[in-house]
Amino acid sequence: MTGADLAAGGRLIQIGLAFGTGPGEWIAERIGWDPGDYAADPRAMAVHGISEQEIRDAPRAEVVDRRLYEWCRAHGGTPEKRRLVAVGFNVGAFDLPFVRDALPETSRLLSRRSVDLNAVCFLLAGTLVHGGSRPSWTGWRRLAKRAAEARLAGEGIEPAWHDAGYDALASLVAFEWLRARVAGVRGGG
């Protein structure tokens, strides 16, 4: 995003979608805006490192929206069933409003539900033992990100946090890793 506040002119400038980590199972696109169509918060711009020139040069949202819509349709997305679920750290509250604003056609394929990995980490905080301790929610988040980074590196994908394509892949892998931790717990009566 160019900023954290959509109402103040922050805009989506990069998006990543992933169904898996293999070839053709993920996609990343930059989204361009004309000067005056977005507000550039210096803190946000420093996080992703995308220059204002790169924003101006990227394909416009309508073009990216059409490409992503077709890509999602080719991967089973339908507006009737809306079964494509967004997974990520704060994805529902933070990312999806920007996605709906910039990519309305693609948004029609996304479920109204999302999996917030921060919420999963909050759930596990102080309750589940890992490595002999009970990590805090930030500890679980750190562990999930490290596990995702290690698996992706093992598949030849170099770490590139805050790149939307990498973040999509890492979120999917982190979800699988966290899910495996929960599945390993045997519930009582």
Side-chain angles (χ1 to χ4, degrees):
M1 315 317 172
T2 62
D5 187 350
L6 183 60
R11 294 292 175 259
L12 181 70
I13 56 171
Q14 191 181 46
I15 185 166
L17 303 171
F19 293 99
T21 60
E25 293 183 311
W26 61 279
I27 189 170
E29 295 273 350
R30 288 225 176 130
I31 301 166
W33 301 92
D34 292 323
D37 288 345
Y38 67 94
D41 179 314
R43 292 171 300 186
M45 300 296 283
V47 168
H48 54 66
I50 299 170
S51 72
E52 291 200 55
Q53 184 63 49
E54 290 172 303
I55 295 169
R56 287 191 293 276
D57 292 345
R60 296 301 177 256
E62 303 81 35
V63 173
V64 174
D65 196 16
R66 175 56 38 202
R67 262 197 307 249
L68 291 178
Y69 180 86
E70 294 302 328
W71 188 83
C72 287
R73 289 296 306 248
H75 285 81
T78 64
E80 300 80 27
K81 294 203 177 178
R82 297 178 73 118
R83 58 183 172 208
L84 303 181
V85 178
V87 175
F89 293 93
N90 205 25
V91 69
F94 183 70
D95 299 271
L96 286 179
F98 286 90
V99 172
R100 283 191 291 272
D101 176 70
L103 308 170
E105 290 301 309
T106 302
S107 294
R108 289 182 38 236
L109 302 176
L110 302 178
S111 174
R112 290 180 181 88
R113 296 166 187 86
S114 62
V115 178
D116 181 352
L117 298 179
N118 283 339
V120 175
C121 292
F122 276 114
L123 173 70
L124 299 176
T127 60
L128 190 62
V129 175
H130 181 80
S133 68
R134 295 180 189 276
S136 66
W137 82 269
T138 56
W140 279 108
R141 184 176 67 185
R142 205 169 21 259
L143 288 165
K145 285 184 168 188
R146 282 187 198 144
E149 189 174 295
R151 177 169 154 209
L152 291 173
E155 295 182 28
I157 301 169
E158 294 297 318
W161 294 105
H162 302 295
D163 172 87
Y166 186 84
D167 288 351
L169 290 168
S171 291
L172 187 60
V173 173
F175 171 66
E176 293 168 357
W177 185 85
L178 288 164
R179 194 175 187 181
R181 307 290 73 76
V182 172
V185 177
R186 301 287 180 241

